[in-house]
Amino acid sequence: MKDFRALYTFYREQVREELYRDKTDGIQLGFFYALMNIVKELAPLQLDLSPESVWMDYLAFLRTIDEHKKSPYSFLEWDEVEGREHLRTTLQEGGALLTWHYGFVRHNMITIGQEIRAGHLRSGLPFYLVAERGTVEQEQKLSSWNAIRQYSGANLLNAEDEMIGIRLYSHLRKGGSFSLFVDGQTGFNADNRAVELPFLSSRIQTRSGIFRILAKVRKPVCPYYMTLTEEFRTKIVFLPPVVLEENIEKSAERIYEPFLAQLRKQPALWRFWDRHHQQVIRWNEDESDISSGETESKVDWFSRPLEGFGQLGLNTANGLIYNLG
């Protein structure tokens, strides 16, 4: 099961065949959104890989991690762990581990759990995995994954709970620690003070609550991410802990910087390409949707028609979106 190269290669060929087979009638809307976002973010960067190639790798990687979801015990150790000392410091002092839905996200507790069992977590305090309500409900139904989390000493915590901010603040003040996906965009109610940040080629808006809490408690913040190297080795990286500033925008940018650097290197491993446009405030060059007229010759990919929604078309050369009606 851990032959990621063979699995990834198999799914990439499967994805390629399916996409080109479905191209005539249109592709799933989620697939279309992912390609749209990848084109708009990556095309201005002029990377070696084409956006379409990244898109197919992204879809293949989703299938790879879905396969491993079925058998959690097939992957119980990382090939490479970088920055273990930063993880220990954060657990010992009490602080936040911040990550993204990037790489093998379900396996983030492997190394964290090892350090908890080794006694680096402050005694008597739980370790929380903070996630959106839907994820918490789904994960609690997966008995094997629940067993792994319990063995690692982790408890799931609903990010959309009415008291989530107070609970996390209090937990940090007591010397507790938790892990949170900062790209999840979930919390209690809407965020009235969202932060605007640079992404790869766009400007995005992200929830500010966690950054405000962390700036107030002045506790260590350790960004980390999971990845699959070009040699198909699994790797988790913990970065040096920082204490966030009162300037929330600068603090958020500081946390996002290492993720954006990694995303630029291996863009296919981010799971949220299909929803990224929901965060975007403006693209590199804002453009209006072009509708009807002589558009079909300019469209490389288009979505399946949906009742009450219509169809969207995409020109991968310039990132223009067409409303095909």
Side-chain angles (χ1 to χ4, degrees):
M1 178 62 76
K2 206 178 176 184
D3 187 352
F4 294 114
R5 186 189 298 272
L7 201 58
Y8 200 15
T9 301
F10 169 77
Y11 282 129
R12 196 178 193 284
E13 289 306 310
Q14 186 183 75
V15 163
R16 182 189 294 271
E17 290 176 8
E18 290 178 8
L19 288 174
Y20 282 105
R21 185 182 65 229
D22 296 343
K23 191 172 185 179
T24 303
D25 297 321
I27 58 176
Q28 294 180 34
L29 186 59
F31 291 0
F32 179 89
Y33 281 148
L35 177 59
M36 175 188 77
N37 292 326
I38 288 170
V39 168
K40 284 181 169 292
E41 288 289 358
L42 300 188
L45 302 180
Q46 298 182 334
L47 303 178
D48 292 336
L49 289 173
S50 72
E52 281 181 304
S53 177
V54 171
W55 176 50
M56 293 181 188
D57 283 347
Y58 155 78
L59 294 174
F61 186 69
L62 290 185
R63 296 188 185 193
T64 301
I65 55 180
D66 279 347
E67 185 67 28
H68 277 268
K69 175 183 174 181
K70 302 173 187 175
S71 52
Y73 295 105
S74 65
F75 176 13
L76 292 176
E77 184 56 276
W78 297 92
D79 293 323
E80 300 177 30
V81 176
E82 183 177 318
R84 191 184 289 268
E85 69 277 15
H86 305 317
L87 167 61
R88 288 175 180 167
T89 297
T90 305
L91 292 175
Q92 288 166 351
E93 296 184 20
L97 299 165
L98 301 185
T99 191
W100 297 263
H101 289 84
Y102 184 88
F104 292 92
V105 294
R106 272 191 172 84
H107 302 84
N108 60 342
M109 281 306 301
I110 293 174
T111 305
I112 297 173
Q114 290 171 351
E115 298 305 320
I116 291 174
R117 293 194 303 275
H120 293 291
L121 184 68
R122 189 164 297 190
S123 178
L125 292 172
F127 181 88
Y128 290 125
L129 281 173
V130 186
E132 61 187 23
R133 179 184 290 108
T135 298
V136 170
E137 292 173 352
Q138 179 190 50
E139 293 297 314
Q140 287 175 338
K141 295 176 183 177
L142 302 174
S143 58
S144 295
W145 286 100
N146 255 338
I148 290 175
R149 278 188 292 271
Q150 290 170 7
Y151 181 68
S152 300
N155 300 296
L156 289 167
L157 191 62
N158 178 14
E160 298 171 72
D161 184 89
E162 184 176 0
M163 302 296 290
I164 186 63
I166 294 174
R167 289 189 69 175
L168 292 181
Y169 177 76
S170 174
H171 189 57
L172 289 168
R173 288 289 301 271
K174 294 174 183 175
S177 301
F178 61 83
S179 175
L180 181 145
F181 292 94
V182 291
D183 58 348
Q185 296 303 304
T186 53
F188 180 69
N189 285 338
D191 190 335
N192 295 322
R193 296 184 289 178
V195 179
E196 183 179 325
L197 302 172
F199 205 70
L200 296 177
S201 299
S202 67
R203 300 283 296 182
I204 66 168
Q205 197 172 63
T206 189
R207 296 184 70 97
S208 64
I210 188 60
F211 300 109
R212 296 181 189 282
I213 290 170
L214 291 168
K216 191 169 184 178
V217 295
R218 309 291 293 172
K219 290 286 187 175
V221 179
C222 176
Y224 74 102
Y225 60 86
M226 296 72 69
T227 188
L228 184 64
T229 71
E230 293 180 0
E231 295 77 29
F232 288 87
R233 290 174 60 79
T234 58
K235 183 176 182 179
I236 187 167
V237 178
F238 297 92
L239 300 169
V242 297
V243 175
L244 299 191
E245 310 170 31
E246 292 184 5
N247 185 316
I248 303 303
E249 186 169 303
K250 286 185 178 178
S251 291
E253 286 186 18
R254 186 177 185 185
I255 294 300
Y256 261 81
E257 277 177 4
F259 166 63
L260 294 177
Q262 179 62 26
L263 184 61
R264 187 176 180 126
K265 293 176 186 175
Q266 291 180 288
L269 304 189
W270 188 39
R271 300 186 68 177
F272 281 0
W273 277 119
D274 60 341
R275 67 181 75 179
H276 174 56
H277 57 285
Q278 298 171 0
Q279 277 188 274
V280 173
I281 301 170
R282 59 181 178 274
W283 299 105
N284 184 43
E285 292 183 3
D286 282 334
E287 79 284 334
S288 301
D289 289 355
I290 300 174
S291 60
S292 63
E294 299 176 0
T295 62
E296 290 190 13
S297 63
K298 302 175 183 178
V299 170
D300 299 302
W301 296 86
F302 57 90
S303 64
R304 293 175 188 167
L306 294 177
E307 186 176 352
F309 181 83
Q311 277 182 289
L312 296 177
L314 173 67
N315 183 321
T316 56
N318 53 29
L320 289 177
I321 306 300
Y322 300 97
N323 181 356
L324 303 179

